[in-house]
Amino acid sequence: MATDVDVQYFSHLNGLTLGNNWGDLIRLLDKALVTGIDFTQITDASIDAQGDVHITLYAAHNAMLFQVVELTGFAPASFNQKYRIKGVPNTTQLILKPHAAITETSITTIGAGKLAPLGYEIIFRDLGDVKRVYRAKNPTAQHPFIRVDESLTSPDGTTGVYTSTYAKFAMVGLLEHMDHIDDYEDPNVLQLPFNPADPAKNWKISGAESTVTRGWSKWYWRRGNGFLNNAAESVVNTSTNLGAFTIVGDQDKFYFQHTPTPDTTFYKVLNGCGLYQTALVDSVIPNWFLMTTMLDVNASVYQPFNNISNGTPLAGIQSGFFTTKQAPLIKLSEHALAFPFMPDNKSGKGSFNSNNIAALEIPFRDSDNYIRGTLETVAYSGNIKNTDLYTTPLISENSMYVWDSAYVDAGQGGFYFYLGELE
C-alpha cells in the first residue's frame, strides 16, 4: 500500500496567524485551503536506501510531523509528487515519505517545495476582498460551494452596519450552485443553513450599533474575553494575542478547531463543513454537514459561548451540528439538526482506560431520527490528553493522527483527527 497523502493539516505552530483583525480568517483559509505555504529555497536534496527523500532548506521551515509536502520542478520527474513528513531532524531539514515509490537513486535538478493545501480553489472573490466562495478543486455534483463572508455592511451600505470593533466572525454557508459572489437569493438553490421563505437570511445585515443583526451561521474567531462568561457581540475584545488553531481535512471536508477567546487557549471550538460518509442515497439529498454557531439575535444579547445553539458541536450541552433535511420529495426544505452518536460528551477527558490512541469514528442521526452517516477524519477520544494543549501529531502502529484540545463538558478535552496510513 502507498502512504496516504490526501488529508492535510495546518496550525498556528506553522507560523500562520489568526489575530484580532478583520480579514484574518479569510487570509488563513486562503493559505490552508488553496495555496499552501511555500518553503524557502531547497539547498540540498537526496534519496536514501529506504526511498525517503531528505531536503535541506535555506531557512526554518516551521513544518510538523505528518504534514503533506508537495515537491515540483525536480528531475527526475518521479520526485514531483506529494509526501508525508516522516522526520524533522532540525529546523531546516525534513525527511519525506513519498506517496509513490521512487526508483531513481539520485536527484539531478533540485526544485521547490511547499506544505500542500487541502485541495480547494477560489471560485469567486469580491472587489473589496472580504468575501470568498471556495469549492473542491476537482468537484463532483455533491461538492458544495462554500461561501465565507466578512462584510460589515449590507449591500446598500446603510440599512445594516456592523461596528468593526465588535466580535469578529464570518457568515458561513453551503450552496449547491452559484454564478457570482452574491448569488444566494434563488429559492430554487439549496443552502445550508436554509430558510425556504427567506433564502438570503444567512447573509443579511440589518440595523446599527448594539441592535445590529449580522448573519445567522457564524464562525467566530474573536469574542469578548471569557469563554464561559456572559458576553455579547458588542463586547469589545482588545487582546493582541494570536489565536491557537488546527485546520485539517481534504477536498471533501475540513475542520477548523480554534479558540474564539485568546485568554482561554485550550477552550477551542470546532467548526467545519463539507461531505460526510452517507448511509443514504446522496443523488437526491446532498450529504453536507456544517458545524457552526447559529445565532439570530442582535449584537447586544449576552450569553456564554458554550450555551449558544450548537456552539460546541461535538461536546457539551449544545452538542450537535447541521445537515440537509432527509426529504426526497421536498429537496428545498429547511435544514435539519444533526446529533452525534458518542459514548458521552467528554471526548478527551479520560472516560476510559487507555494509554494508547483511543479514537472512535462518529456516526450521527438527524432531528427526524434518520441515521445519516459518519463524519470522516474527526474522531472521539476515549483517553485523556490534558498535557497536549495545541496541535500534536501522533502515530499508532501505521495510523497517523493529529490531536488538539477543545472545550468539552465544562472543561478541557479534545479530539483526534485521522490523517491516514504511513506505509
Side-chain angles (χ1 to χ4, degrees):
M1 292 178 62
T3 289
D4 293 324
V5 293
D6 292 331
V7 179
Q8 172 69 305
Y9 76 93
F10 289 93
S11 169
H12 64 286
L13 299 175
N14 291 127
L16 295 172
T17 59
L18 185 62
N20 194 0
N21 303 293
W22 288 102
D24 280 1
L25 180 58
I26 278 179
R27 307 296 171 264
L28 175 60
L29 293 177
D30 282 356
K31 289 182 179 179
L33 302 184
V34 181
T35 64
I37 304 176
D38 290 330
F39 288 150
T40 58
Q41 179 187 1
I42 300 176
T43 58
D44 188 49
S46 62
I47 185 168
D48 65 22
Q50 288 74 42
D52 297 331
V53 173
H54 297 239
I55 62 172
T56 301
L57 300 162
Y58 176 76
H61 47 66
N62 291 324
M64 301 175 69
L65 204 62
F66 307 139
Q67 286 186 298
V68 178
V69 168
E70 184 176 5
L71 298 183
T72 58
F74 278 71
S78 58
F79 287 87
N80 298 320
Q81 59 169 296
K82 290 183 177 180
Y83 302 74
R84 282 285 179 192
I85 297 178
K86 182 180 176 181
V88 185
N90 55 51
T91 60
T92 60
Q93 292 184 318
L94 295 171
I95 302 172
L96 309 177
K97 177 73 172 178
H99 171 64
I102 300 171
T103 58
E104 289 84 1
T105 58
S106 62
I107 296 172
T108 57
T109 300
I110 295 177
K114 68 177 182 179
L115 291 177
L118 272 63
Y120 294 76
E121 58 184 338
I122 298 172
I123 305 299
F124 303 112
R125 67 194 307 164
D126 68 306
L127 293 177
D129 206 29
V130 296
K131 293 181 276 191
R132 293 285 190 276
V133 173
Y134 304 99
R135 201 182 189 206
K137 228 176 182 182
N138 300 296
T140 66
Q142 296 302 311
H143 282 93
F145 291 76
I146 305 167
R147 190 174 187 275
V148 181
D149 188 343
E150 292 187 30
S151 299
L152 296 182
T153 66
S154 55
D156 63 12
T158 58
T159 57
V161 179
Y162 186 85
T163 304
S164 64
T165 55
Y166 286 0
K168 293 176 175 64
F169 64 88
M171 300 175 282
V172 179
L174 311 183
L175 299 94
E176 65 176 338
H177 179 77
M178 297 188 75
D179 290 322
H180 58 83
I181 187 72
D182 292 325
D183 187 13
Y184 50 73
E185 297 194 49
D186 187 344
N188 298 308
V189 173
L190 183 65
Q191 299 186 48
L192 182 64
F194 188 49
N195 181 342
D198 187 5
K201 178 179 175 65
N202 193 38
W203 315 104
K204 286 184 175 180
I205 305 174
S206 60
E209 297 181 347
S210 63
T211 60
V212 64
T213 298
R214 177 174 178 263
W216 190 19
S217 161
K218 307 177 181 185
W219 284 8
Y220 290 91
W221 77 88
R222 192 58 57 103
R223 293 180 79 248
N225 285 329
F227 187 91
L228 303 180
N229 297 328
N230 277 338
E233 289 174 3
S234 58
V235 175
V236 177
N237 185 316
T238 59
S239 172
T240 58
N241 293 338
L242 298 176
F245 64 84
T246 299
I247 296 177
V248 58
D250 57 23
Q251 70 164 8
D252 291 335
K253 75 282 177 185
F254 67 91
Y255 302 92
F256 172 43
Q257 189 154 298
H258 62 105
T259 172
T261 53
D263 56 323
T264 50
T265 55
F266 49 84
Y267 275 11
K268 301 185 188 75
V269 298
L270 185 64
N271 293 142
C273 65
L275 306 181
Y276 61 86
Q277 185 63 45
T278 181
L280 305 172
V281 177
D282 62 3
S283 59
V284 178
I285 306 299
N287 54 319
W288 299 347
F289 76 91
L290 177 62
M291 293 177 176
T292 189
T293 301
M294 292 283 278
L295 198 58
D296 185 21
V297 298
N298 69 49
S300 65
V301 175
Y302 277 69
Q303 53 192 318
F305 196 86
N306 60 311
N307 282 339
I308 298 174
S309 177
N310 302 99
T312 53
L314 299 180
I317 60 175
Q318 294 291 350
S319 185
F321 51 99
F322 301 92
T323 188
T324 48
K325 191 174 182 65
Q326 176 58 24
L329 299 181
I330 314 174
K331 187 185 76 169
L332 294 169
S333 301
E334 189 174 7
H335 57 268
L337 285 170
F339 302 102
F341 291 116
M342 299 188 298
D344 51 41
N345 289 328
K346 301 179 181 180
S347 178
K349 290 194 75 174
S351 295
F352 305 96
N353 295 326
S354 177
N355 295 322
N356 300 313
I357 292 175
L360 297 175
E361 288 189 334
I362 303 174
F364 66 94
R365 66 172 179 88
D366 66 20
S367 47
D368 294 321
N369 215 30
Y370 287 97
I371 300 293
R372 298 300 296 273
T374 303
L375 296 171
E376 296 184 291
T377 302
V378 66
Y380 170 92
S381 170
N383 56 340
I384 190 168
K385 293 189 62 62
N386 58 9
T387 59
D388 294 325
L389 302 182
Y390 306 114
T391 316
T392 305
L394 301 162
I395 193 164
S396 176
E397 296 183 343
N398 291 337
S399 299
M400 298 175 288
Y401 294 88
V402 162
W403 159 273
D404 195 10
S405 61
Y407 172 84
V408 170
D409 187 46
Q412 179 195 333
F415 298 97
Y416 289 114
F417 298 91
Y418 175 62
L419 304 178
E421 299 297 301
L422 184 71
E423 300 296 338

